[in-house]
Amino acid sequence: MRQETIKADITVIGGGLAGTCAAIAAARLGRTVALVNNRPVLGGNSSSEVRVWVCGATGHGKNHHAREGGIMGELFVENQYRNPHGNPYFWDTTILDAVRAEPNLSVFLNTDVRHVTASPGGIASVTGWMMGSEREITFDSGLFLDCTGDGLVGHLAGASHRIGREGREEYGEPWAPEVPDDITLGSTLLFYTKDAGEPVRYVPPDFAKDITQTSIPERRIIKAGDNGCAYWWIEFGGELDTVHDNDRIRDELWSVIYGIWDHIKNSGQFDADTMTLEWVGALPGKREYRRLLGDYVLTQHDVLGQTPFDDRVAFGGWSIDLHPPQGMYAAEAGARQQYADGIYHIPYRSLYSADVPNLLMAGRNISASHVAFGSTRVMATCATIGQAAGTAAALCAATGARPRDLPVADLQRTLLREDASVVGLRYDDPADLCGTAAATASGTLTRLVADTPQEAWRLDADAGIVLPVDPSLTGVRLLLDADGDTTLTVELHDPVLGQNYVPRELVATREIALAAGEKQWAELGLDWQPGTARNAFLLVKANPLVSLHVADQATPGVLCFTRVPLPPHAESPQPLREWSDRGLLRRTFCLETGTTRAFAPDKALDGYQRPYAGPHMWVSATLPAELELRWPEPVTIARVEVIADDDVNEDLINLHHHRTPFEIIPTLVRDYRVEALVGGQWRQVAETRGNRRRRIAHPLPEPVTAEGLRIVVEASNGAPSAHLIAVRAY
């Protein structure tokens, strides 16, 4: 046995997506980082050991322009390129490559932290045992991040925490029980199947449960061809201790999995003669245990009310998603869910311990009530929290500040510079030379037009269209058929919050008389000038005599929806679940609008890096295209950064929930040149060919003093125009 001490600026314990993104974030900011994980692979519940989908703010496509950015966004986009079929082992390698790309980051796998040395001044060190290597390693750092999920490090350091459900009286949460208890969400094991191409018999093990003697066949969906997270409801342990009873929970889950497979193979109710089990999990995927307390506890009110925290550092958007304590044996539905009207903010005060001064936390163990945790617990949200906490740790290490004392404005500025998942804040950095530049372009998209009809869409249900309004909305027309003389009702709504894409406040209503006829353009007459740029939601009322036409094209800044009824058991109201893009994703109702500034060249310099009350990007009219920046006086440039449009409305996923039909996001610029205006002459200083990423950095071989800078886009990855979210120069 060897005893060792590792010194690093920051130690991150837990190598799930929260810990991984925290470690990468801190390492990129120049800090030395030790990432300690008790499993042989990174990724936590998303890894090949557990195989849970990486869900997040998109809510499987219910939220719009909500896919996570920053490091989690990089992983999504890279995995889509490498692993479009959702192989869990390829996902493991995508994460490992991202970690190994950071020279300041050292990874310690199979290392289980069991001891914490702490005092009132904070944690001095943590010690873990590296299985298989007989190494006892002490990690000595000035800052620690508990990304264990179970909150073990915080617990061992004496941090205040909660296990279970708060009573309703504590925070006034409607979904909280009347009295507090120790009930948690249960744990899950998953399984994969495959078609062997020949008959395969199945002899169940003796411990397999006869599920016909339970409520499972009546209450849960069982299909022979389903895999993995389709069986998310195989859950147990909510009434037990999900840590100390982990083995008991695992055994019960195993008994049910093998019992389900016995039912599928041998009951005669399924076409499964050639099917066999390919993989069964052995490590229960935990949902909940300790939640460490910070200076603020996020609650149900903050999630559903979308509280606009001044110290926002990340966002979520998954529903509040709570499960019955009895899990798979419950008589009620497997989940109770409610979505906010859009994504919500997560405050920095929930990411550091209230009483261990050098401890931050990220993942499912942040400072949130049980009800709010029902949303923040999903892994893509945990990952964005991880980047925020890792960034905070890096700034604390650089300045000597304690997490509680770190200026939030500095943290937010750094997160935005690193393209992290923060919504509704403008990047304003004196170091960015582009803040004083003026932008022009060779051409710009100035009207929204979709005029190539491919399908008639009968208005058996209400339809919705989101359009950018900048500075006004004028001249909107829809292409439609009318089977007879009728009246079409169209409403104009304000979504109110910049991150929302549902109707909230009625602005105007128009009744439009239609004569019978095909492919006629109807003028809506719903002009609007709201005073500040925002989105408009046009609600076209159902009318079975009317069909809108649909073009098979995505139109920048436009979203199209149909209204679907909420399931009978669903919480109401939930407009986010009512307005679905099913059948309309990457398509547009045929329309025309008047002119807009929503895609003007200066949008690439306005500091907003995500859609928020508008698209916030320059979109060219055609390709090739040029975006040009000029300064009133020459500036010296050493580094240029380009942020391309990776279409955060596209719902990417790491495993097999759905298949996105392209490997590279079409809106990403592919080939471009960076040119500097030096002494009145344009000179190429950087070039990119075959780009497939959102954020591209160009450190120049030597600084140049220039009067201007331009990005010459020669080709995209499929979009008919150039999309640039931001250009920065330092």
Side-chain angles (χ1 to χ4, degrees):
M1 185 187 84
R2 287 164 48 186
Q3 292 181 319
E4 306 171 36
T5 297
I6 302 295
K7 294 185 180 294
D9 295 332
I10 298 162
T11 295
V12 178
I13 306 96
L17 291 181
T20 297
C21 290
I24 292 172
R28 287 181 178 178
L29 292 172
R31 300 297 104 192
T32 56
V33 181
L35 174 59
V36 186
N37 192 36
N38 63 355
R39 303 302 306 172
V41 291
L42 298 170
N45 281 348
S46 78
S47 76
S48 59
E49 289 195 307
V50 187
R51 305 191 183 188
V52 177
W53 299 323
V54 178
C55 300
T58 64
H60 289 325
K62 294 180 181 66
N63 259 317
H64 299 282
H65 298 301
R67 193 180 78 243
E68 291 74 14
I71 297 166
M72 185 66 244
E74 294 172 21
L75 293 173
F76 271 139
V77 171
E78 184 65 14
N79 186 70
Q80 180 63 24
Y81 176 73
R82 297 184 181 195
N83 185 27
H85 294 91
N87 186 310
Y89 298 107
F90 297 167
W91 171 244
D92 287 350
T93 63
T94 299
I95 299 171
L96 187 58
D97 269 356
V99 167
R100 287 183 170 174
E102 301 303 327
N104 292 322
L105 202 168
S106 300
V107 185
F108 300 84
L109 299 176
N110 289 315
T111 304
D112 194 27
V113 168
R114 304 174 183 179
H115 180 74
V116 174
T117 300
S119 67
I123 299 172
S125 66
V126 301
T127 301
W129 175 261
M130 182 178 280
M131 293 171 284
S133 300
E134 295 189 0
R135 297 166 64 191
E136 186 182 70
I137 307 174
T138 296
F139 298 91
D140 185 349
S141 296
L143 291 141
F144 294 84
L145 278 82
D146 187 335
C147 303
T148 61
D150 294 333
L152 176 62
V153 173
H155 169 61
L156 294 176
S160 301
H161 64 272
R162 292 277 175 81
I163 299 176
R165 307 186 294 189
E166 295 88 351
R168 188 170 303 167
E169 182 179 90
E170 183 158 3
Y171 299 118
E173 296 173 303
W175 280 25
E178 288 289 346
V179 296
D181 57 38
D182 58 1
I183 295 294
T184 64
L185 299 191
S187 302
T188 286
L189 285 178
L190 301 172
F191 66 92
Y192 275 31
T193 65
K194 70 176 181 180
D195 190 331
E198 61 181 335
V200 179
R201 70 189 184 99
Y202 176 65
V203 180
D206 292 342
F207 63 78
K209 187 178 289 288
D210 181 358
I211 66 165
T212 64
Q213 301 304 305
T214 74
S215 63
I216 288 174
E218 298 176 9
R219 301 289 184 180
R220 301 294 182 257
I221 297 172
I222 298 174
K223 295 180 181 179
D226 277 353
N227 274 297
C229 280
Y231 285 102
W232 60 267
W233 52 262
I234 300 177
E235 176 180 355
F236 184 69
E239 297 175 302
L240 302 175
D241 185 308
T242 55
V243 167
H244 297 112
D245 295 323
N246 188 56
D247 279 9
R248 176 184 170 187
I249 292 167
R250 178 204 59 213
D251 291 348
E252 186 70 17
L253 294 169
W254 266 344
S255 75
V256 168
I257 285 176
Y258 287 106
I260 289 172
W261 194 242
D262 183 30
H263 184 61
I264 290 172
K265 289 289 290 186
N266 297 325
S267 69
Q269 299 178 30
F270 300 87
D271 181 13
D273 187 47
T274 61
M275 299 292 291
T276 188
L277 280 176
E278 181 182 31
W279 170 85
V280 177
L283 179 68
K286 293 196 192 84
R287 287 181 174 86
E288 181 179 9
Y289 201 55
R290 300 180 190 91
R291 302 185 304 280
L292 304 177
L293 296 180
D295 281 350
Y296 188 85
V297 176
L298 193 76
T299 70
Q300 177 180 356
H301 306 294
D302 299 317
V303 172
L304 298 183
Q306 300 174 279
T307 303
F309 295 109
D310 289 339
D311 64 335
R312 69 187 74 168
V313 291
F315 67 77
W318 189 257
S319 66
I320 293 178
D321 180 5
L322 299 179
H323 301 179
Q326 301 80 18
M328 57 196 173
Y329 297 130
E332 64 262 44
R336 181 187 184 191
Q337 295 179 297
Q338 184 163 3
Y339 283 89
D341 285 353
I343 59 179
Y344 60 87
H345 307 289
I346 296 170
Y348 174 55
R349 287 165 294 154
S350 292
L351 309 191
Y352 58 82
S353 170
D355 41 23
V356 179
N358 64 339
L359 176 66
L360 295 109
M361 55 270 193
R364 57 185 170 88
N365 59 357
I366 67 166
S367 183
S369 71
H370 168 79
V371 179
F373 149 89
S375 175
T376 62
R377 65 186 176 86
V378 292
M379 283 184 282
T381 301
C382 291
T384 67
I385 294 169
Q387 181 165 3
T391 301
L395 294 178
C396 288
T399 63
R402 294 291 195 177
R404 175 180 281 123
D405 301 325
L406 181 67
V408 171
D410 292 349
L411 174 58
Q412 291 171 329
R413 183 181 301 111
T414 305
L415 286 168
L416 290 169
R417 179 168 182 169
E418 295 298 307
D419 198 28
S421 298
V422 184
V423 170
L425 293 184
R426 178 177 175 269
Y427 176 60
D428 184 12
D429 185 356
D432 179 10
L433 301 171
C434 292
T436 58
T440 58
S442 58
T444 296
L445 180 67
T446 57
R447 293 182 64 239
L448 301 173
V449 177
D451 58 3
T452 55
Q454 301 292 328
E455 177 190 356
W457 185 282
R458 186 172 295 278
L459 282 175
D460 292 324
D462 294 348
I465 307 171
V466 171
L467 298 169
V469 182
D470 188 0
S472 60
L473 183 69
T474 61
V476 182
R477 306 197 303 162
L478 295 177
L479 184 65
L480 51 80
D481 298 341
D483 293 345
D485 294 351
T486 187
T487 299
L488 182 67
T489 302
V490 183
E491 297 175 350
L492 171 62
H493 291 256
D494 185 349
V496 181
L497 297 184
Q499 69 266 39
N500 289 3
Y501 300 92
V502 295
R504 181 173 277 189
E505 290 185 359
L506 180 64
V507 175
T509 303
R510 281 274 289 152
E511 304 282 341
I512 302 161
L514 300 177
E518 295 184 350
K519 292 187 177 177
Q520 51 182 306
W521 286 99
E523 304 275 355
L524 302 191
L526 284 170
D527 294 355
W528 186 32
Q529 189 160 354
T532 58
R534 62 189 60 213
N535 289 308
F537 191 106
L538 297 182
L539 196 161
V540 185
K541 289 288 190 177
N543 185 328
L545 293 178
V546 177
S547 297
L548 303 180
H549 284 274
V550 181
D552 287 338
Q553 69 178 70
T555 303
V558 180
L559 299 171
C560 294
F561 305 113
T562 185
R563 195 172 198 168
V564 297
L566 286 172
H569 65 274
E571 302 291 322
S572 181
Q574 282 194 84
L576 197 72
R577 295 183 70 178
E578 291 183 65
W579 292 101
S580 169
D581 63 4
R582 191 181 310 149
L584 293 166
L585 180 62
R586 308 180 207 101
R587 308 177 80 199
T588 309
F589 288 124
C590 289
L591 56 80
E592 293 182 353
T593 71
T595 58
T596 178
R597 288 200 75 260
F599 308 101
D602 58 7
K603 299 298 181 181
L605 306 181
D606 69 3
Y608 289 93
Q609 295 164 193
R610 299 183 61 94
Y612 181 80
H616 293 291
M617 70 177 84
W618 168 65
V619 177
S620 69
T622 59
L623 282 171
E626 300 174 4
L627 178 68
E628 183 175 314
L629 313 182
R630 292 286 186 111
W631 284 273
E633 300 291 338
V635 296
T636 300
I637 303 169
R639 176 185 175 95
V640 176
E641 290 187 7
V642 174
I643 299 182
D645 176 20
D646 62 343
D647 189 6
V648 292
N649 192 57
E650 191 67 53
D651 180 28
L652 302 181
I653 199 157
N654 65 318
L655 298 180
H656 61 275
H657 176 267
H658 61 269
R659 175 76 185 272
T660 303
F662 35 75
E663 296 174 358
I664 302 176
I665 305 297
T667 50
L668 286 169
V669 293
R670 189 188 73 195
D671 304 326
Y672 66 88
R673 307 188 308 274
V674 180
E675 298 179 346
L677 184 62
V678 180
Q681 299 293 318
W682 288 105
R683 188 178 92 188
Q684 181 174 312
V685 294
E687 180 182 41
T688 289
R689 291 282 179 262
N691 174 61
R692 64 174 194 268
R693 296 185 171 92
R694 169 182 165 99
R695 184 183 177 207
I696 313 101
H698 299 283
L700 303 187
E702 58 183 28
V704 297
T705 300
E707 308 98 67
L709 189 73
R710 70 182 180 190
I711 312 298
V712 182
V713 180
E714 299 169 13
S716 73
N717 279 287
S721 50
H723 294 219
L724 290 180
I725 290 173
V727 178
R728 301 171 180 167
Y730 302 97

